Amino acid sequence: MPVRSADYLTKLYIAIARAWGVPEHQARIFARAILTGDLMGQHGQGAAIVQICHLFHAHGQLNTTAEPLVEQEKPNFAVLNGQKALGQYVLTRAMEMAIEKAKQCTIGTVWVHNWHDAGCIAAYARLALEHDCVGLVTINSVPLTAPLGGMDMLMSAAPFCFACPAGEKRPILGDMALCGTWDFHMVKAMKEGRKLDQKLLIDPRTGELTDDPTAVVEDATSRTTPIRGATVFPDHKLFLLNIFAEIMTGLLTPGGMTSNQLQYPTSDYVEAGVEVNRGGGGWCMAVNIADLMPVADFKAKVDTWIRAIKASRLLKGVAEIRIPGEHALGLEERRLVEGVPLREEHWEHLVRMAGELGVDMEAPRGGAFSPPGNLPPRHEGTK
């Protein structure tokens, strides 16, 4: 795996976005969001997302200079139209607006639609941490999952993330997909010559459940890697959460769409000249802690609670109880120092894109670097 510094990757992502025609302030936010995925070990939500954005740009679907349009607004909520801008910029602006409204009304909520792929949802939920707020973000996405008991790709692999500040401890960062598996995991398993841990795929030829990714992955070398068979939910509880996310995003967002209305596989539609939507709706929420109690008191309560959980007696074979986000944030802290390992195919895609755009891959190695922001400080227990 090639290893690149956060400094280098940030400047490279900015250079690529600028070559698309994206203004500087948007390019920096794009780079921060992509780098967040890289640092947290979410390879499929970091560097891999850049190639999808590049595909939209190459086919004239990326509105490179658009600013989100406020379509509805009251003191405690707003509705934003992303106007086909980069999803990383649109979701950042939506969460920032939710935080601003929370500072005025205790709870601020923003619904958003009409953006391109947003990637790592944690990049937006954790913005709340800098403002002593609890944050929550979820969006729907292209259909990859069958409804419980069904066979058709009608439901999304919806990401869901919440962020809660702490005091001496790391923040709590709950980051998950409301599905059993998704395309990146299938492709990774296929390239590594292994099967999934569970039978979460529907073989489109037989209609039977399988753990073999070759049954649904058409071409693991494709730039967008279309999946030709639905995934399934491992249990009914995850199905219910996915339904909830769809209500709050695709259904409740004015101008939004449900996942079954989104085009997939993306490459089939883009290359045919069809306008593509990667997300039908998004929901961002922030809660201003200071309106409820002193922030220091809240953070002390969180720390005490975390310590109580981690002090639990352990099951046989378990070395440690981990709080949500503990591993990813610890990994991020190390990668900021040691560098970010990239999968070979992701690095190759970046090299190819840079060549197509005329971006000098060596230029980011020099010059001053300004951190992308929104990265957590070191906390108790880190080395």
Side-chain angles (χ1 to χ4, degrees):
M1 277 190 178
V3 177
R4 300 292 181 267
S5 70
D7 176 325
Y8 176 85
L9 288 175
T10 296
K11 289 186 283 190
L12 177 60
Y13 295 150
I14 290 173
I16 288 174
R18 295 287 283 143
W20 292 332
V22 173
E24 177 73 21
H25 71 286
Q26 291 196 24
R28 290 187 65 80
I29 287 175
F30 169 79
R32 180 201 62 81
I34 296 295
L35 181 67
T36 299
D38 292 335
L39 291 172
M40 292 175 61
Q42 298 181 8
H43 298 289
Q45 302 301 324
I49 294 296
V50 183
Q51 62 184 303
I52 298 176
C53 300
H54 186 62
L55 179 68
F56 290 132
H57 169 264
H59 289 273
Q61 297 213 23
L62 179 62
N63 192 341
T64 56
T65 59
E67 290 289 334
L69 175 67
V70 179
E71 294 183 326
Q72 296 184 40
E73 185 172 22
K74 288 189 177 181
N76 64 333
F77 86 93
V79 177
L80 293 186
N81 181 340
Q83 301 199 95
K84 287 293 187 292
L86 284 169
Q88 291 77 13
Y89 180 67
V90 175
L91 267 293
T92 296
R93 288 297 301 122
M95 191 61 195
E96 288 174 343
M97 183 174 282
I99 293 167
E100 291 169 4
K101 292 185 175 298
K103 292 295 184 178
Q104 301 172 20
C105 303
T106 307
I107 297 176
T109 299
V110 175
W111 284 273
V112 58
H113 67 101
N114 196 21
W115 73 87
H116 283 307
D117 205 305
C120 180
I121 296 300
Y124 319 114
R126 63 192 288 183
L127 289 172
L129 300 175
E130 295 185 353
H131 301 274
D132 290 327
C133 290
V134 172
L136 185 152
V137 177
T138 185
I139 64 175
N140 67 6
S141 67
V142 294
L144 292 173
T145 309
L148 193 66
M151 284 186 59
D152 298 320
M153 299 166 72
L154 297 173
M155 305 185 70
S156 75
F160 185 96
C161 184
F162 61 87
C164 174
E168 296 177 345
K169 294 293 188 178
R170 290 188 180 96
I172 300 172
L173 188 65
D175 188 16
M176 65 180 294
L178 304 181
C179 62
T181 188
W182 60 95
D183 46 5
F184 178 78
H185 282 174
M186 298 177 224
V187 173
K188 184 173 183 289
M190 184 172 174
K191 288 181 176 179
E192 294 173 355
R194 60 178 175 82
K195 295 184 178 181
L196 302 181
D197 295 335
Q198 302 179 62
K199 292 185 176 182
L200 295 172
L201 312 176
I202 300 175
D203 189 323
R205 295 159 296 189
T206 66
E208 296 179 349
L209 293 182
T210 179
D211 55 5
D212 185 359
T214 63
V216 299
V217 178
E218 186 174 78
D219 180 6
T221 64
S222 169
R223 291 169 64 178
T224 53
T225 321
I227 305 302
R228 301 297 180 178
T231 71
V232 297
F233 292 100
D235 58 58
H236 70 282
K237 295 179 182 178
L238 205 54
F239 174 60
L240 293 179
L241 281 173
N242 191 294
I243 292 284
F244 169 73
E246 195 72 65
I247 292 170
M248 299 305 298
T249 58
L251 288 170
L252 200 54
T253 302
M257 294 180 288
T258 52
S259 296
N260 61 296
Q261 296 174 299
L262 302 178
Q263 302 90 343
Y264 184 83
T266 301
S267 56
D268 290 2
Y269 290 92
V270 170
E271 292 167 6
V274 176
E275 185 176 301
V276 170
N277 296 287
R278 287 284 291 186
W283 175 44
C284 302
M285 185 178 74
V287 180
N288 184 23
I289 296 166
D291 284 350
L292 301 172
M293 68 186 73
V295 172
D297 290 354
F298 176 80
K299 291 182 176 180
K301 287 172 65 176
V302 173
D303 284 352
T304 299
W305 184 51
I306 290 174
R307 292 189 182 102
I309 291 173
K310 293 183 73 66
S312 171
R313 293 176 297 159
L314 301 177
L315 286 172
K316 185 177 181 179
V318 175
E320 178 187 11
I321 294 173
R322 286 183 172 177
I323 302 299
E326 185 176 358
H327 171 73
L329 293 175
L331 184 64
E332 179 176 87
E333 290 164 1
R334 293 195 299 274
R335 289 184 171 185
L336 283 169
V337 176
E338 300 169 0
V340 181
L342 298 174
R343 295 179 65 85
E344 291 285 353
E345 63 266 31
H346 297 162
W347 177 247
E348 291 169 3
H349 284 308
L350 290 174
V351 172
R352 174 186 51 76
M353 281 184 277
E356 293 175 2
L357 295 167
V359 171
D360 182 358
M361 295 288 286
E362 293 301 314
R365 297 187 190 281
F369 169 61
S370 177
N374 306 310
L375 301 178
R378 296 175 69 85
H379 293 273
E380 177 187 290
T382 60
K383 297 181 179 180

